[in-house]
Amino acid sequence: MTRNKSFKQRVRARMDRTGESYSSARAHLLARADGAPASASLTRSDTASEGVRAGAGHTASTAAMDTRIPDGSVRERTGRDYAGWFALLDAWGATGRTHTEIAAWLVQEHDVPDWWAQTVTVAYEQARGLRVPGQKKDGFAVSASKTVDVPVERLFAAFTEADRRERWLPGGDLSVRTATEPRRLTADFGHAGRLTVRFTAKGESRAVVAFEHSKLADAEAAEAAKAFWRQRLARLKDLLEKEGT
């Protein structure tokens, strides 16, 4: 408890000094503790922030195009590809409309199924700089996964048992909300959002952990979280596999 409190004080001290978000400051301190260069996550965060300040232009649009549902699938399900819908939405004046208004217009005026209306709306908002990739109604979200050569029960325990968790997530203010052993858990992560974690057995001695870190404050926090979890999951895998089964 004392160690966790001391770490939180260091995080808040850095926040006061640098103006960073809680998750960004925390990621920097943990990166330094592992000997990783804090400048790496800082560079990614600064790049993301520039994208937001510039209206999420080229960087955001390119990222969105790399991850969205393929054009052919959209055309098959809705009758138009992205370019066709974007042109129609531009002519309608969608850049001045809310997400709800755009999706409703697609459903009501063009008979687009609700799920596909949401898909087209999000893609349009990203392409026009109205929404940054990873942004949701309640903030930003990132996801990560890792395959670890241990039984799924041990992987689950590494998240739920405080002493085990401290070894790979030092100072981690993780408060479990719900847990279904050894398949799923949700948890609050201090002042830095919500975790939804799923565990899948891949045989007797291999398992996959996959999770989403949501309710992040902004694009900078999302970039910091992405770098942070990449480091932490690598540490988790290394520790558990060295211990053996």
Side-chain angles (χ1 to χ4, degrees), residues 140-242:
F140 286 73
V142 297
S143 59
S145 65
K146 182 67 70 175
T147 300
V148 185
D149 290 334
V150 297
V152 68
E153 292 81 6
R154 284 195 55 211
L155 187 55
F156 186 85
F159 278 78
T160 58
E161 297 180 13
D163 56 338
R164 293 174 182 264
R165 186 171 64 241
E166 183 68 16
R167 297 186 61 200
W168 67 274
L169 191 64
D173 188 8
L174 189 150
S175 177
V176 175
R177 296 170 61 91
T178 64
T180 303
E181 187 176 358
R183 297 194 302 272
R184 185 180 185 275
L185 67 82
T186 61
D188 292 325
F189 195 59
H191 299 285
R194 176 77 52 80
L195 297 181
T196 301
V197 191
R198 292 177 174 81
F199 305 84
T200 305
K202 298 292 184 180
E204 294 184 358
S205 58
R206 173 173 289 185
V208 176
V209 56
F211 67 86
E212 180 182 79
H213 188 169
S214 60
K215 297 190 176 182
L216 295 163
D218 50 34
E220 179 183 2
E223 286 297 316
K226 188 184 301 183
F228 171 76
W229 288 116
R230 187 181 299 117
Q231 295 168 358
R232 292 299 94 204
L233 290 180
R235 176 63 172 162
L236 171 65
K237 177 180 174 70
D238 183 61
L239 279 172
L240 291 183
E241 291 184 351
K242 281 183 177 178

Side-chain angles (χ1 to χ4, degrees), residues 51-74:
V52 174
R53 287 194 290 269
H58 177 73
T59 301
S61 298
T62 301
M65 291 178 67
D66 288 343
T67 59
R68 69 190 187 189
I69 293 172
D71 230 18
S73 298
V74 174

Side-chain angles (χ1 to χ4, degrees), residues 112-149:
V112 178
D114 185 66
W115 191 89
W116 288 96
Q118 293 292 333
T119 299
V120 171
T121 300
V122 169
Y124 177 79
E125 290 173 326
Q126 291 176 343
R128 296 297 182 262
L130 306 175
R131 176 191 294 254
V132 178
Q135 185 178 5
K136 298 187 175 184
K137 287 183 178 180
D138 57 355
F140 286 73
V142 297
S143 59
S145 65
K146 182 67 70 175
T147 300
V148 185
D149 290 334

Side-chain angles (χ1 to χ4, degrees), residues 14 44 84 108 110 113:
R14 181 181 173 92
R44 284 189 289 270
Q108 295 166 9
H110 296 278

Side-chain angles (χ1 to χ4, degrees), residues 92-115:
W92 178 60
T95 54
R97 309 276 184 163
T98 67
H99 176 93
T100 300
E101 288 173 335
I102 296 171
W105 185 75
L106 290 170
V107 172
Q108 295 166 9
E109 300 297 326
H110 296 278
D111 296 322
V112 178
D114 185 66
W115 191 89

